[in-house]
Amino acid sequence: MLKRFGTSALAVLTVLGACSGAWASAAGGAIKNPAANWQHLWDEMLLDITIIGVVFALIIIYLLIRYRRTQPDQEGNPPVLSLAAQHAWVLIPVFLFMADDLFLAARGWNLWNDYRSVPAGSYEVELKAQMWSFNFKHPNGVEESGTLHVEAGKPVVVRMTSADVVHSMFIPDFKVKEDSMPGRVTYLWFYPEKSGEHVITCAEYCGMMHSGMHGKVIAMPKDQFQAWADAEKAKIATANAEGGKS
Amino acid sequence: MSAPAQAGFGKVLKEWIFTCDHKRVGILYLIGSLAAFLVAGLMAMLIRVELSSVGPTLTANPGTYNVWLYFHGAAMILGFQIPALTGFLANYLIPLQIGAKDVAFPRLNALSLWLFWMGIVLALLTFVIPDPPDFMWTAYPPYSIISSGNTAFYTFTVLIMGFASIAGGVNLITTIIYMRAPGMTWSKLNMFVWCTFAAFIVQLIFVPVLGTAVTMLTFDKYLGTTFFSPGSGGDVLLYQNLFWFYSHPAVYVILLPFLGIVFDVVATFARNRVFNYKAAVYGAIAVALMSGEVWIHHLYASGMPDWIRIGMMISTILISVPVGVMMISLVGTLYRGAIDFKSPMLWALGCMFLFLIGGLTGIPNAMSAIDLHIHDTHFVVAHFHYVMAVAGTFAVMAGVTYLFPKMFGKMCNEGISKLGFVVTFIGANVTFFSMFFVGLQGMPRRYFDYQQFPQFQGLNQLITVGAFIMALGFLIVLISWIHALVAGKKAVDNPWGSRSLEWTTSTPPGPGNWAEVPDCTNFDPYGYGSNK
Ligand SMILES: [Cu+2]
Ligand SMILES: [Cu+2]
C-alpha cells in the first residue's frame, strides 16, 4: 500500500527530476542490491550538495571582496526591494529548494522501498542481541555468536530482537543497520553477492563494552556453506545424543 | 589596612550575587556557560587522545571514557550552548535592543540564573560522585535504567536546567511583547530579537516533554514503574520519541539565536540593511513551526513504522527551505555593504561557512535510506558539530567579541582576537571535515576503541591533531579576553559604528540602561546608507 502510494507520488515528482536519467529500474526480477543503489544515490546527492555549497561559497567570497570597506566612515548602499522583488526573493528560492528537496526525497523513497522489501526466498536468520554479543540462529537450528555464516549470492534477512538493552546491527560493507531492542522484532536484509568477510558492529550505545561488540558476516560459496551448516547441525545432534546417554 | 578593600570587594560580590539587572544576569550566565564549555572541552580532548590509537590509550577502562563522553555531550548542549545563547546573549541584548529598562520580571530572571548555576554545579559533581552517569546525554532506556550510573542525578540536572530555561523563556517573551520602547514596532526589531523570540516559543512548548521523559526514566528506575519496560507492557521506543520530540527542536533553540546574532553582527560590520528582512523573519518563524514535526529522523534505524519514517524524511528535508531563505537574507546582507573584517565579523563569517557545510551535509542524514548507513556513525557527529556545535560556538564567540566593549568598556586586541579565530577555524575544519570520511567508512559514534577497524587509525589521528589546534585557538581567544579586561583600551559608546539601539547607551550601560526611555519613532536598527 505504502509502496503503491510511493510509486504514484514518485510519478508526479519525476517531472521535477526529469533532468536526471539514471533511475534504478523498478521492474525486472533481478534482486536490487540496496548497497549498490545506496552508493549511486549517495554520489548523486554529493554532487547536488557540493554544487549548492560551492555556489553559495563563491557568491559569499565575491561579495566579501567586492564590497569590502575602503574608507572608515563608509556605509552600505542597500538596494530598495519592491514588493514584487521581496516576494520573488522568497518564492523563487523556495521553489528551487523544494524542487531539489522533493526530487531527492523521491529518489530516497525509492531506495527506502528497496531497503525495506525483503526479496522472496531470502535466507532467514534470527538475531538476539545482548550485552555484548550478536547471537544468531539459523533456520536449521544452528546457533552461533559473533560470526554469521551465509551463502554468497543469496539475500539474507535478519529478524532481530534484544535480550537486554538497545543495540544496533551495523554492517558498513552492506550500508545497512537496524536497531534491535527488547519487546519488538525489527529486521534488515542484505545481499552478499560474492563470498568474503564483512564486519558487523554495534551502532547503538549499549554500555561499557559497546565498541567491543562486533562480529563478522562470512559469505561462502553455496556448497561450502551447505557443508558448514550440515557439520554444525551434526555437532548439535551428537551433543544431544551424548546428553541423552548420560 | 586591607579592610576597606575587602569591604569593597565584598560589596561588589554582594551586588553581583543579589543582582536583578539583566546585564549582570547575562554576564553571570556567560561565566557559567563558559565554565561548562571549558570542562566539556577538556573532556573532548580526553576523548580525542583516547581515540588517537587503536586499543586503550589514555585509560584502560571504557567506563571512564563513557563518563567523559556523557559529560561532553550533556554539558556542551545543556550547560553551554543553550544558556550562552538564550541565557547570556538574550538577557544581555534583548532589553537593550528593544529599548527596555530591564526584563519584565527581574527577580524571576535572577531565579532562573541561579537555577542554571545549580545545574552547572550539579553537572560538575559528576566528577565527584561515585556513580557518575555513563549513558550519554540521550540516556536511552533500558540501558539508563539498568546502568549503575546515577540516573536520578542526570534527571535532576536536566530538570533544573529545564526550569531555568522555562522561566527565562516566559520572562523574555513577555519582555519582547510588552516592554518595547515607544515607536519600536514589531517590524523594527533586530533579527536577534525575532530569532530568539521564535526560539523561546519552541523552548516553552518542548522542554516540558523532555522533563516528562527523564522523570519517567527515574520513576522506572527507582519507583518500579514500567513505562519503558516491554516485559511489563512498556515500550523502549516511547522514551526515544519523547526525548527527540524535545531534542530535535532544541537544535533550533540553538540555531535560531545563533543565526540571529550572526545577522546583527553581519549587518553592523557590513553597515547594511538585512536583505529582505521580512522574509528572514518569516523564515525564522517557519523554522520554529516546522521544528516539531521532524524528530523521527533520529529514529530512522529504530524500527519505527515505514510510513512515519518516510513522512518525516520529507518534512525534515523541507525544513531546509525556510533555512535556505534565511541564508539568502544573510548572504544578501553583504550585497552593496561596506564590509569591515573586524574579529566579530570574522567569527560571524566563520559561523556562516561552518553552517553551510553542516546544513548541506544534513541533507544526506535527512534521507532515511541514506541514513541507514551513516546513522550513529562519525558522519553524523561531524554533521551536527558543523551545523550546531561549532557553528553555534562561533556565533557565541562573535556575540562575545561584538558585545565585549559594551559589557566591560574595554576593547579586545584585534591582533590576538584574529589569531584566535584563524587557529580555531583551521582546527575546527581539520577535525570535523576528516570526521566525515571516517564516519562514511563506518566508524560508529560513542566508541571507546575500534580494533575491528584498525584502518581508521590514521584519520583518527588527524582528527585528534585538529582538536588540539582548535583547543589552542580557544585558548588564544581566552587570552585575548583576559588581556582586554586587564590592559584593553577604553571603549567608546559605539566602537563599531552600529545603528542598533544597544549602542546608544553609555559604556558600560548603567542600571535602567538609558536615562530616559528612548523614543524609537524614527529608529531603524539597520538604517544604514541613509546619510547620503
Ligand atoms: Cu550493543
Ligand atoms: Cu534532529
Side-chain angles (χ1 to χ4, degrees):
Chain A
M1 168 58 199
L2 175 77
K3 200 173 169 186
R4 190 147 16 97
F5 178 47
T7 324
S8 53
L10 208 61
V12 179
L13 296 172
T14 308
V15 183
L16 300 168
C19 45
S20 157
W23 287 84
S25 101
I31 296 162
K32 285 173 290 175
N33 189 347
N37 289 338
W38 185 97
Q39 193 62 48
H40 187 77
L41 181 55
W42 170 264
D43 292 343
E44 225 173 84
M45 189 158 14
L46 199 59
L47 186 69
D48 184 285
I49 62 177
T50 308
I51 290 172
I52 299 174
V54 168
V55 166
F56 259 95
L58 287 178
I59 292 173
I60 293 172
I61 291 168
Y62 167 77
L63 293 174
L64 289 177
I65 296 171
R66 171 71 181 75
Y67 296 106
R68 68 192 183 282
R69 195 178 298 176
T70 44
Q71 285 114 35
D73 57 350
Q74 191 186 349
E75 291 206 359
N77 180 22
V80 179
L81 295 182
S82 66
L83 201 61
Q86 287 177 26
H87 284 87
W89 273 105
V90 175
L91 294 176
I92 295 171
V94 162
F95 179 78
L96 289 176
F97 288 141
M98 278 183 69
D100 189 45
D101 284 351
L102 292 176
F103 168 64
L104 288 174
R107 303 295 314 273
W109 195 336
N110 216 12
L111 180 59
W112 179 260
N113 286 334
D114 292 351
Y115 264 106
R116 303 308 295 168
S117 321
V118 182
S122 296
Y123 184 73
E124 191 161 331
V125 182
E126 279 171 36
L127 161 65
K128 190 153 204 168
Q130 72 176 72
M131 293 158 90
W132 290 277
S133 62
F134 292 102
N135 306 310
F136 298 100
K137 188 172 180 187
H138 289 265
N140 65 353
V142 170
E143 292 180 29
E144 54 180 331
S145 181
T147 51
L148 172 60
H149 290 79
V150 294
E151 178 188 325
K154 190 170 186 179
V156 179
V157 56
V158 183
R159 308 262 171 208
M160 54 180 84
T161 185
S162 165
D164 37 48
V165 304
V166 184
H167 301 274
S168 188
M169 178 179 180
F170 175 28
I171 320 170
D173 287 351
F174 295 124
K175 309 264 186 288
V176 69
K177 72 169 64 70
E178 189 78 12
D179 289 2
S180 61
M181 65 203 89
R184 283 182 189 237
V185 178
T186 52
Y187 71 92
L188 62 75
W189 77 274
F190 59 94
Y191 187 30
E193 290 181 83
K194 286 183 254 154
S195 41
E197 296 192 351
H198 310 274
V199 172
I200 307 171
T201 199
C202 182
E204 184 61 66
Y205 179 72
C206 58
M208 181 94 138
M209 298 307 296
H210 168 49
S211 59
M213 182 166 165
H214 55 90
K216 258 182 201 154
V217 170
I218 301 170
M220 304 190 291
K222 188 174 179 168
D223 42 347
Q224 273 180 41
F225 173 71
Q226 205 50 57
W228 174 86
D230 292 342
E232 290 298 311
K233 184 143 196 214
K235 273 191 214 162
I236 302 178
T238 330
N240 283 347
E242 275 168 13
K245 255 182 252 168
S246 59
Chain B
M1 206 184 101
S2 63
Q6 258 176 8
F9 177 74
K11 193 167 162 260
V12 171
L13 193 68
K14 205 172 152 187
E15 263 178 33
W16 278 82
I17 289 177
F18 291 103
T19 188
C20 291
D21 178 80
H22 72 98
K23 299 178 290 296
R24 288 188 170 179
V25 168
I27 290 170
L28 290 171
Y29 260 114
L30 175 64
I31 296 170
S33 52
L34 285 178
F37 177 69
L38 286 178
V39 183
L42 188 69
M43 294 302 114
M45 301 317 292
L46 296 178
I47 291 163
R48 281 322 314 172
V49 174
E50 181 54 55
L51 290 178
S52 64
S53 73
V54 180
T57 311
L58 207 56
T59 173
N61 180 1
T64 311
Y65 174 87
N66 292 337
V67 174
W68 299 341
L69 211 51
Y70 156 79
F71 189 87
H72 174 73
M76 280 294 192
I77 294 171
L78 303 172
F80 167 59
Q81 293 225 297
I82 295 178
L85 291 159
T86 65
F88 154 61
L89 276 175
N91 263 304
Y92 195 88
L93 214 39
I94 286 177
L96 291 178
Q97 287 190 331
I98 65 171
K101 282 176 177 290
D102 207 307
V103 293
F105 313 112
R107 279 161 191 269
L108 181 66
N109 208 21
L111 176 70
S112 28
L113 168 73
W114 293 113
L115 280 176
F116 158 71
W117 266 94
M118 272 172 68
I120 291 287
V121 171
L122 254 188
L124 289 172
L125 286 176
T126 301
F127 303 109
V128 180
I129 58 172
D131 50 354
D134 67 333
F135 33 72
M136 305 300 132
W137 87 287
T138 48
Y140 280 5
Y143 182 68
S144 57
I145 292 171
I146 64 167
S147 161
S148 59
N150 196 328
T151 311
F153 186 81
Y154 164 82
T155 299
F156 283 111
T157 312
V158 169
L159 285 179
I160 284 183
M161 296 274 194
F163 267 131
S165 63
I166 289 174
V170 169
N171 209 341
L172 285 157
I173 287 175
T174 316
T175 308
I176 296 170
I177 295 177
Y178 290 107
M179 299 196 52
R180 284 168 288 128
M184 177 63 86
T185 56
W186 285 94
S187 58
K188 285 182 188 170
L189 294 179
N190 282 73
M191 276 309 291
F192 178 75
V193 178
W194 266 115
C195 289
T196 316
F197 185 73
F200 276 126
I201 289 176
V202 171
Q203 186 85 322
L204 280 192
I205 295 171
F206 295 100
V207 170
V209 181
L210 177 70
T212 310
V214 296
T215 306
M216 287 159 86
L217 207 57
T218 295
F219 279 17
D220 263 18
K221 180 160 180 174
Y222 300 99
L223 302 180
T225 55
T226 56
F227 295 116
F228 309 128
S229 149
S232 321
D235 182 359
V236 288
L237 283 185
L238 174 62
Y239 178 84
Q240 294 186 19
N241 277 292
L242 290 173
F243 182 85
W244 288 110
F245 189 69
Y246 161 76
S247 293
H248 184 80
V251 171
Y252 296 100
V253 170
I254 294 169
L255 171 73
L256 286 169
F258 93 52
L259 281 183
I261 190 71
V262 168
F263 263 106
D264 279 359
V265 169
V266 167
T268 291
F269 288 92
R271 295 218 181 118
N272 206 2
R273 249 171 208 296
V274 167
F275 183 81
N276 215 355
Y277 167 87
K278 278 192 179 157
V281 169
Y282 283 116
I285 294 169
V287 168
L289 290 178
M290 291 172 81
S291 70
E293 56 205 54
V294 298
W295 78 92
I296 294 293
H297 62 227
H298 297 271
L299 284 85
Y300 281 154
S302 304
M304 293 296 289
D306 280 347
W307 66 267
I308 199 164
R309 292 198 256 196
I310 290 296
M312 291 225 183
M313 166 181 84
I314 295 169
S315 59
T316 301
I317 301 182
L318 284 180
I319 212 165
S320 71
V321 173
V323 173
V325 168
M326 290 180 81
M327 275 306 269
I328 287 177
S329 285
L330 193 51
V331 175
T333 306
L334 300 170
Y335 175 63
R336 288 167 55 173
I339 302 160
D340 189 11
F341 298 94
K342 290 257 166 44
S343 50
M345 182 63 167
L346 292 181
W347 286 109
L349 291 170
C351 172
M352 275 166 74
F353 179 80
L354 296 169
F355 180 69
L356 186 64
I357 294 181
L360 289 168
T361 52
I363 293 177
N365 283 309
M367 305 270 287
S368 51
I370 295 293
D371 185 65
L372 287 181
H373 176 59
I374 53 187
H375 188 82
D376 271 331
T377 66
H378 271 65
F379 187 91
V380 176
V381 179
H383 155 70
F384 71 70
H385 276 85
Y386 260 108
V387 81
M388 177 189 87
V390 187
T393 306
F394 271 50
V396 171
M397 295 296 156
V400 176
T401 10
Y402 179 56
L403 291 174
F404 202 92
K406 186 55 63 189
M407 289 191 290
F408 305 111
K410 300 281 180 69
M411 298 300 288
C412 289
N413 179 302
E414 271 297 306
I416 313 179
S417 285
K418 281 182 178 163
L419 180 70
F421 165 78
V422 171
V423 175
T424 312
F425 186 73
I426 293 170
N429 283 293
V430 170
T431 307
F432 295 109
F433 212 76
S434 330
M435 213 179 261
F436 281 126
F437 294 94
V438 75
L440 199 54
Q441 289 169 43
M443 168 113 175
R445 63 194 286 203
R446 296 167 173 174
Y447 264 28
F448 162 74
D449 188 21
Y450 45 101
Q451 77 266 38
Q452 61 273 52
F453 302 113
Q455 70 274 25
F456 294 164
Q457 185 171 284
L459 270 171
N460 270 306
Q461 280 166 350
L462 187 60
I463 297 170
T464 304
V465 169
F468 273 93
I469 299 175
M470 197 169 23
L472 177 68
F474 283 127
L475 207 63
I476 298 173
V477 173
L478 199 64
I479 291 171
S480 84
W481 293 346
I482 294 169
H483 172 264
L485 283 177
V486 176
K489 272 196 304 188
K490 204 171 162 352
V492 293
D493 287 353
N494 188 0
W496 316 123
S498 175
R499 289 281 161 89
S500 196
L501 197 61
E502 69 268 28
W503 300 100
T504 62
T505 58
S506 59
T507 287
N513 301 334
W514 291 272
E516 309 164 32
V517 175
D519 177 14
C520 298
T521 320
N522 294 313
F523 165 79
D524 179 350
Y526 306 119
Y528 299 99
S530 42
N531 60 342
K532 293 197 177 72

